[in-house]
Amino acid sequence: MSDADDRPTAANFVREVVLADNEQGTFGGRVQTRFPPEPNGYLHIGHAKAINVDFELAKEFGGVCNLRFDDTNPDTEDTSYVDAIIDDLAWLGYSEGEDYATPLYASDYFEQLYRWAELLIEQGKAYIDDQDSDTISEQRGGYGKPGVESPHRDRPVAENLDLFRRMRAGEFADNSMVLRAKVDMQHENMQMRDPIMYRIRASEHHRTGDTWKIYPTYDWAHGQSDAIEGVTHSLCTLEFDSHRDLYDWYLDQLRDADELPFEQPRQTEFARLELTHTMTSKRKLLQLVEEGKVEGWDDARMPTLSGLRRRGFPPESIREFLEFIGVSRTNSRNEIELLESFVRTRLNKIALRRMAVLRPRKVAITNWPSDEAGNPVVEQMELINNPENADDGTRSAPFSGEFWIEHDDFRAEPPPKYYRLTPGREIRLRGAYFVTCTDFDTDADGTVTQVNVEYDPATRGGNAPDGRKVKSTMHWVSAAHAVDAEVALYDRMFTAEAPGEATGDVFDDFDADSRELLTDCKLEPILADTALGSVVQFERLGYFARDVDQPMRFHRTVGLRDEWANIQKRKN
Ligand code: ATP
Ligand code: MG
């Protein structure tokens, strides 16, 4: 795969929109965006796309991007999510004080939103409906099915105001009434059929506590919050396409009443990021967490940013991937292997090479020398840290008369084209010696318990002075010096490419066994000093991230093989 930096920048139609606006002077050349997460879960890889679009466009045009929490639903939101979102954003590369001023909250605008709601009531553009919610949604009709006007649609202004104030004061039970905008019950867009602006909720809000008994809906809060902040380009995903009429309608009313402090913001929708074998719905990710199907939001299998971080994905590789796929208005599903190829490309440059044996098999050198006290000699072998970067230098790894190899790197009876260790075969131990298998020991069942080899002292460093060649180079870990560790290997968390598409339920495609935890792994000793959370390459096995909480656990980030290239070949 070519270097990420060589790849052309992909099309981003939102950039064209902004350029056109600037040319026409729509917002006086101003560009202001916002990233508006609801603090009801952790950020996932899909959010990374929105973050990238929102922050990078503002940056490119010398504008501003706010982080604004869309915290209008007290039932599902929590400050722990606020904190996690701020942390994950910083990890991805967007920090408070540098990329955005200070986090903003829709809940800070509750009073303003309330006053604007009263204004709409006073203008006869909103009314209290105390029908039950089933009736209200039944009356909304459907495509080709006319809407039915609420019997309360023409409630007198004074009565609406009185009821709304009493709603705010907490006089009524949850769900007993709502405030609705009086738009058009026959509008072809269902969102315009007298949408709900306020609901009654007795719940505690994570920031405003019990101050409020009524909460604005997404539609009433969102565009107005944009307007309060001076957002110019309100960028969101395609599912909000049908909300745009309403977004505009609310703002039109406020503009006509001379209430808008800035130019009227405009909503532009782009395609969601979807990845194969991946599910990005906060609600369903929460379900995985709550049902204990994963260890938490930051389980290394999760497509959350904190999961990807634990898994060892460099944040730069996520951003490079997003730049590569671009931004369009057509929904599609990108291959997870493409994202992984960016991860691999970046890790290849930065990850130090190390040796680890995941499924150990013991090998003994029968002609290895002993020292005067009768103990096996220990030699320090010098190994290159990263062939991609000479500045990373070398390290030494201890080598002695017994070492571990991968279980599969020896076969008593080799199949055709097997070039690794087998009786009579000579192989190279990476950076150490050539060894030739003489025989092996077995237990009573015939299971191989130990492989015996002879080494050639003249091949120190891994090269034969007589120029003879071997067909394979294997990794190894000195048995006397090995560090014990656990290594987690991962399969796709969802077996189907499009989870839930065939069955209608994503959880039908959930693979409970997508993690294989190997508990008897042997690491070269320097790995005990690897920084928590950092990623190394285990030679021949892939890239592995050291866990931050369980220091003797490593997670396989990605394998070494470029599966994306294979997919491309298959397609062509
Ligand atoms: P989810 O469906 O996962 O709960 P959401 O849209 O409800 O996501 P929000 O916190 O409301 O989550 O999203 C914040 C921003 O991120 C919104 O602008 C939303 O459009 C965007 N976003 C959410 N999911 C994706 C995705 N898969 N791809 C691109 N942008 C996304
Ligand atoms: Mg949402």
Side-chain angles (χ1 to χ4, degrees), residues 36-38 40 47 70 218 237 239-240 272 282:
E38 187 179 356
N40 61 353
H47 291 116
D70 225 335
Y218 169 86
T237 35
E239 69 269 25
F240 292 101
R272 285 175 75 86
K282 266 189 290 182

Side-chain angles (χ1 to χ4, degrees), residues 257-276:
D258 246 350
E259 288 285 326
L260 293 189
F262 298 96
E263 302 91 336
Q264 186 168 342
R266 223 184 41 221
Q267 174 180 304
T268 302
E269 311 84 20
F270 59 86
R272 285 175 75 86
L273 172 68
E274 297 288 355
L275 292 172
T276 54

